[in-house]
Amino acid sequence: MITLYDMERSGNCYKARLLFGLLGVEYKKHTVDLSKKEQMEPWFLAINPLHHVPVLDDAGTIIRDSNAVLVYLAAKYDAARTWYPASPAGMAEVQQWLAYANNEILNTLAAVRAIGLGLRPGNLAEAQEKASGVLSVLEASLTGRNWLVTSHSTIADVACYPYASLVSMGGMTHDAYPAITAWFKRIEALKGYVPLPARPVAKA
Amino acid sequence: MITLYDMERSGNCYKARLLFGLLGVEYKKHTVDLSKKEQMEPWFLAINPLHHVPVLDDAGTIIRDSNAVLVYLAAKYDAARTWYPASPAGMAEVQQWLAYANNEILNTLAAVRAIGLGLRPGNLAEAQEKASGVLSVLEASLTGRNWLVTSHSTIADVACYPYASLVSMGGMTHDAYPAITAWFKRIEALKGYVPLPARPVAKA
């Protein structure tokens, strides 16, 4: 059985859960309680010295980092290599978007959500302005096409989708981004789609 | 012919130049003069709207982002898939280090060099302290093994090597990191190795 070391609220963990759903692969969730600093406990550091979730344990093969988990699952459980195209140009084009997801998107779109939800300090208006620039690049890249890479969905879409959508929790709308909005709908209509992490319930 | 849009001083561009050397693949360099903001000119934005180097043009296939360039070159020009292993676990393990190179290493080790050389503002002592933590992870990962992934060199080593070495331009030594130092020597002994960017000559 495959175990995903997971945190419900994390957009990076969600990427793995989404791909499990899309591939129709069964797995077991092991929630890591970051509020109790479980990620710093010796048992967790032994599987990921970088103390981040998600981590995958597939019968002893341990994979850390959300992009690496996507590459692993797509290469291992999609024999047709639809989700991670096998051609050099296909792999490299996906890689461009994995980098965009881990840098530009994580540093701006994920920040808008985290600041908006009060999960971290920061200037929301400033974060939103940077986020607009990143959304504009996505919008331009999706204009006139259905998916980020090739003519079908790939792990590039899985990697970029969550935080692009979740900026709504940081007070942004997608009204100015029709191509992104249409892309969201296409992703959300895929067989096996898994809902995004819910907005946390405000504490009384 | 393959064209690399390049900047001599950039560690990210160097990764591409190094892999070209290691693979023995010929290419043409097109230097992008960032001091003249050439990366913002329409001709460059047309090939990379993110206005970063490196960018590759292989007979019309355009690849931006240093990690994507490494994946592309290794998948296309190394039929044996030694440099980017073809197994799901091999690809994912390489991917972990590509992420480390683009996040932890770029944000700390590259920062030490840039601040040390006066290329950007910042607190050098603080940057060096963060860099020590990142070097310690690399040191632990290389202790008892020759390469970051599998038993031979891969693009994981190519991605992590440059800025790990270049911290010397930011006043750090590698004295506390014997496994890293031995790994440097192994990389520098590889057939086709290309020297690191030189220390810029101070302006009079």
Side-chain angles (χ1 to χ4, degrees), chain A residues 50 52 62-65 68 71-72 75-76 81 84 88-89 91-92 95-100 102-104 137, chain B residues 50 52 62-65 68 71-72 75-76 81 84 88 91-92 95-100 102-104 137:
Chain A
L50 303 184
H52 294 155
I62 310 281
I63 307 294
R64 63 165 190 260
D65 177 74
V71 164
Y72 177 80
K76 174 119 192 196
R81 288 289 294 270
Y84 185 42
M91 285 192 281
Q95 191 71 43
Q96 294 175 352
W97 291 108
L98 297 184
Y100 201 68
N102 252 10
N103 294 320
E104 286 84 352
V137 168
Chain B
L50 303 184
H52 293 157
I62 309 280
I63 307 293
R64 62 166 190 261
D65 178 73
V71 164
Y72 178 79
K76 173 118 192 197
R81 287 291 293 269
Y84 186 41
M91 284 192 282
Q95 196 71 42
Q96 294 175 354
W97 290 108
L98 297 185
Y100 201 68
N102 252 9
N103 294 321
E104 286 84 351
V137 168

Side-chain angles (χ1 to χ4, degrees), chain A:
Chain A
M1 183 53 123
I2 313 175
T3 301
L4 175 68
Y5 292 90
D6 181 62
M7 183 181 70
E8 180 56 32
R9 198 178 66 201
S10 157
N12 276 334
C13 290
Y14 167 75
K15 295 172 191 175
R17 301 197 300 267
L18 176 57
L19 188 57
F20 271 117
L22 295 170
L23 294 174
V25 171
E26 302 241 330
Y27 69 105
K28 197 174 66 183
K29 271 190 263 190
H30 181 131
T31 297
V32 180
D33 191 339
L34 304 194
S35 73
K36 292 185 182 153
K37 297 245 179 242
E38 275 186 359
Q39 79 277 21
M40 302 306 287
E41 291 179 10
W43 70 269
F44 190 79
L45 292 175
I47 56 170
N48 184 7
L50 303 184
H51 50 81
H52 294 155
V53 282
V55 178
L56 205 70
D57 181 347
D58 187 0
T61 298
I62 310 281
I63 307 294
R64 63 165 190 260
D65 177 74
S66 60
N67 281 342
V69 167
L70 296 182
V71 164
Y72 177 80
L73 290 176
K76 174 119 192 196
Y77 293 102
D78 166 31
R81 288 289 294 270
T82 304
W83 289 90
Y84 185 42
S87 71
M91 285 192 281
E93 283 173 41
V94 164
Q95 191 71 43
Q96 294 175 352
W97 291 108
L98 297 184
Y100 201 68
N102 252 10
N103 294 320
E104 286 84 352
I105 289 181
L106 207 63
N107 292 330
T108 63
L109 307 189
V112 163
R113 172 183 179 235
I115 296 168
L117 290 175
L119 301 172
R120 79 163 84 148
N123 181 323
L124 185 59
E126 213 171 81
Q128 287 174 338
E129 199 188 315
K130 282 186 194 163
S132 300
V134 169
L135 288 173
S136 297
V137 168
L138 269 183
E139 176 73 14
S141 303
L142 285 162
T143 297
R145 51 186 304 144
N146 288 339
W147 307 101
L148 287 170
V149 176
T150 79
S151 57
H152 55 75
S153 53
T154 67
I155 56 172
D157 303 294
V158 174
C160 294
Y161 160 70
Y163 288 115
S165 176
L166 291 169
V167 292
S168 59
M169 292 187 190
M172 292 182 79
T173 75
H174 296 95
D175 296 348
Y177 309 106
I180 291 178
T181 307
W183 173 64
F184 287 168
K185 289 200 177 126
R186 280 188 288 274
I187 291 171
E188 289 155 13
L190 290 170
K191 185 164 178 281
Y193 174 79
V194 174
L196 284 160
R199 183 182 285 269
V201 179
K203 285 182 188 147

Side-chain angles (χ1 to χ4, degrees), chain B residues 35-79:
Chain B
S35 74
K36 292 186 183 154
K37 298 246 180 241
E38 275 187 359
Q39 79 277 21
M40 303 306 286
E41 292 179 11
W43 70 269
F44 189 79
L45 292 174
I47 57 171
N48 184 6
L50 303 184
H51 50 82
H52 293 157
V53 281
V55 178
L56 205 69
D57 181 346
D58 186 1
T61 298
I62 309 280
I63 307 293
R64 62 166 190 261
D65 178 73
S66 60
N67 282 342
V69 167
L70 296 182
V71 164
Y72 178 79
L73 291 177
K76 173 118 192 197
Y77 293 101
D78 166 32

